[in-house]
Amino acid sequence: DADDVLADARILTVDMSTVTAFTTFTGLKAAPQGVRTTKAVAARPAGRVARLNVQANKKVAKKTSVVLIKDVPNCGSAGDVVNVSSGYFRNNLEPFGIAKKATGDILAQVAADAATKVAAKQAEQAGAKAIATALQTIGKFVVKKTVGEDGKIFGSVTTQDVVDAVKQQTSKELDKKAMTVPEISEVGTYEVSVKLHPEVTGKFQLEVQKA
């Protein structure tokens, strides 16, 4: 009858916003009564695409440990162990005998050569110190020159004169280029020095006498 039809119409009347919500979230269960629901966040439009920048890694040159046989500018000196690019070693060093790959045997030889050089330098320095000690112990060497009435010597006292005087007393010939002799114009005693080693200097007295 008319009352039943009106009741059915009321039952069928629903909130269209609820229908829209359930259409959007198909398959989701309705939230329990009293629980607040949040609005869905709009998805990123299809036309906006996030860009990912990818930077390629720079290729790293392979290195080779080598022993230099000769001096190489901006690289090292003979006997040094250095790291160079494999291509540089293969194309510019090895074919010309400038360097060898640092194998175990080569490194052992380098160490032995270095030890030999150190021992030789130590021996050279020790020898220079021994000569310096001998010169200091003797203390004085004599050079005789002709002297005029005014007490002035004729000529001058040269480094060769000093070398000869030292050799006569010690049988050791010094390097006159390494010797420093003051200007001498009359008889007297003067100090002379001689460079025997980069780290050793010998000093002694030179007495100039009347011949």
Side-chain angles (χ1 to χ4, degrees):
D1 57 9
D3 293 334
D4 293 334
V5 171
L6 182 58
D8 291 339
R10 290 173 180 170
I11 293 173
L12 293 174
T13 301
V14 295
D15 187 346
M16 291 306 295
S17 62
T18 304
V19 173
T20 302
F22 276 89
T23 303
T24 304
F25 299 97
T26 304
L28 296 180
K29 295 182 179 180
Q33 188 175 1
V35 178
R36 297 181 62 184
T37 59
T38 58
K39 293 182 179 181
V41 178
R44 183 186 298 273
R48 297 176 61 185
V49 180
R51 295 182 178 179
L52 179 62
N53 293 326
V54 179
Q55 183 177 2
N57 291 329
K58 186 178 180 180
K59 187 176 180 181
V60 179
K62 292 183 179 180
K63 296 286 186 178
T64 299
S65 182
V66 303
V67 177
L68 298 179
I69 306 301
K70 302 177 181 178
D71 294 347
V72 179
N74 301 320
C75 189
S77 302
D80 289 348
V81 179
V82 298
N83 290 323
V84 298
S85 67
S86 299
Y88 180 66
F89 169 68
R90 185 172 56 253
N91 298 324
N92 301 87
L93 300 180
E94 187 178 32
F96 303 101
I98 299 175
K100 293 182 179 180
K101 188 173 290 188
T103 62
D105 292 341
I106 294 297
L107 290 175
Q109 184 61 47
V110 169
D113 292 344
T116 300
K117 290 180 180 179
V118 169
K121 288 183 178 180
Q122 290 176 342
E124 182 181 358
Q125 185 175 4
K129 287 182 177 180
I131 295 174
T133 300
L135 293 173
Q136 187 176 12
T137 300
I138 295 172
K140 185 181 294 184
F141 298 88
V142 177
V143 171
K144 292 185 177 184
K145 288 288 184 177
T146 302
V147 179
E149 293 180 358
D150 58 356
K152 302 293 184 179
I153 64 174
F154 290 105
S156 62
V157 176
T158 66
T159 54
Q160 187 61 53
D161 292 332
V162 181
V163 168
D164 293 340
V166 172
K167 185 176 181 180
Q168 184 177 2
Q169 291 182 243
T170 66
S171 299
K172 177 68 178 179
E173 186 169 359
L174 301 178
D175 182 3
K176 65 180 181 180
K177 294 181 180 179
M179 189 174 293
T180 301
V181 179
E183 184 176 350
I184 301 173
S185 60
E186 58 186 16
V187 296
T189 302
Y190 303 86
E191 184 175 84
V192 175
S193 65
V194 56
K195 197 73 171 178
L196 302 169
H197 183 272
E199 299 179 6
V200 181
T201 299
K203 294 181 179 181
F204 56 90
Q205 298 295 316
L206 178 68
E207 183 176 357
V208 180
Q209 298 177 353
K210 182 178 179 180

